[in-house]
Amino acid sequence: MNLRPWALCALVAFATLGGGGVPNATATQRTETGFLDRSLALEGAEYPYQVYVPRSFSRATKWPVILTLHGGGEYGSDGIRPTVHGVAAAIRQHPERVPAIVVFPQAPADGKPGWQLDAGRAALRAVDAAIAEFSGDPARVYLTGYSAGGNGAWYLASRHPERFAAVAVACGFVTEFKGRQSGVRYPSLAPKDAADPYAAVARPLASLPIWIFHGDADNVVAVEQSRRMFAALKAAGASVQYTELPGVSHDAWTQAYDRADLFEWMLKQRRH
């Protein structure tokens, strides 16, 4: 069939519009993938964050959602620093290991204790927004964090255990602490009158599957923080495992998130 140039152009336009003057559904419904910029407002402040969407994303599927909290070296408002280390680095190395929507919030460099105040509330709102936008499964929301983000993970999980299906913490801390890089003072996560602060934080977490990582040569956050939290969780009846990394200093998160079995374990969990 020989078509004149004008007829060929009309045929291409007709096909692009789906044959009836309506844009092709596949073209209009395609979702961006990769690391996407997002932001939200809370109490008059803007909180930038990023959301990772796998290349295989489809709205026909309900997706697990991972909330990952950065450490004290990534405080700021650029929305980018939280995607340099930790889970983001693991995704770039092995994206096939993380078939999930991943939320990377950022706590501001305002001298406040990381995720214990408004930044933690903003992180939870970012999760809600990601669930709504990217077909997330509320029964498969996972929480992880390292260093000050590990403190944040203990904080959010102990205050909102009903929101999460599993928790993974690398070199986190529970008791009062002063950030070496940030200078931020973090109050204890336990009530002031708690006889055992680790037991007080562990009790609300007893129903959650938990995996703790810590380097035995950590010179920033004492390894005793994780050892005692592990013991308290065991005493509370939690399903908890603890991996102590020999010869590893504060950077326990690199080895933790480089493990395929961490994400396999995490993504098997479901909140009932």
Side-chain angles (χ1 to χ4, degrees), residues 17-225:
L17 292 173
V22 178
N24 185 284
T26 301
T28 58
Q29 292 179 8
R30 186 177 294 116
T31 300
E32 276 191 288
T33 61
F35 291 85
L36 309 180
D37 292 331
R38 294 292 184 270
S39 67
L40 61 84
L42 178 67
E43 304 292 342
E46 183 179 4
Y47 290 85
Y49 63 99
Q50 289 203 11
V51 180
Y52 169 73
V53 180
R55 188 181 293 273
S56 59
F57 176 79
S58 167
R59 293 193 183 280
T61 301
K62 282 287 188 182
W63 288 81
V65 178
I66 301 173
L67 171 61
T68 177
L69 306 180
H70 64 72
E74 290 80 53
Y75 289 144
S77 58
D78 56 20
I80 297 173
R81 289 182 185 179
T83 60
V84 174
H85 305 294
V87 176
I91 288 171
R92 291 189 174 96
Q93 289 292 320
H94 301 286
E96 73 283 355
R97 294 180 181 175
V98 193
I101 305 300
V102 187
V103 180
F104 297 88
Q106 186 174 31
D110 56 6
K112 295 179 181 177
W115 306 101
Q116 295 187 28
L117 299 173
D118 287 346
R121 294 170 56 205
L124 294 178
R125 288 202 184 179
V127 169
D128 292 338
I131 289 172
E133 183 177 0
F134 298 107
S135 191
D137 185 350
R140 291 186 295 159
V141 176
Y142 310 101
L143 175 61
T144 188
Y146 59 88
S147 192
N151 174 263
W154 289 134
Y155 176 84
L156 290 181
S158 63
R159 269 62 175 181
H160 307 279
E162 75 288 346
R163 293 202 54 148
F164 303 108
V167 179
V169 176
C171 54
F173 52 93
V174 170
T175 57
E176 187 176 355
F177 182 83
K178 182 179 178 181
R180 185 174 292 186
Q181 268 190 287
S182 63
V184 172
R185 292 187 177 276
Y186 301 84
S188 173
L189 300 183
K192 290 183 178 179
D193 60 353
D196 182 343
Y198 300 94
V201 175
R203 274 191 292 271
L205 304 175
S207 63
L208 286 174
I210 297 170
W211 197 340
I212 305 169
F213 296 86
H214 213 123
D216 69 358
D218 194 331
N219 61 352
V220 177
V221 176
V223 67
E224 197 64 22
Q225 291 274 342

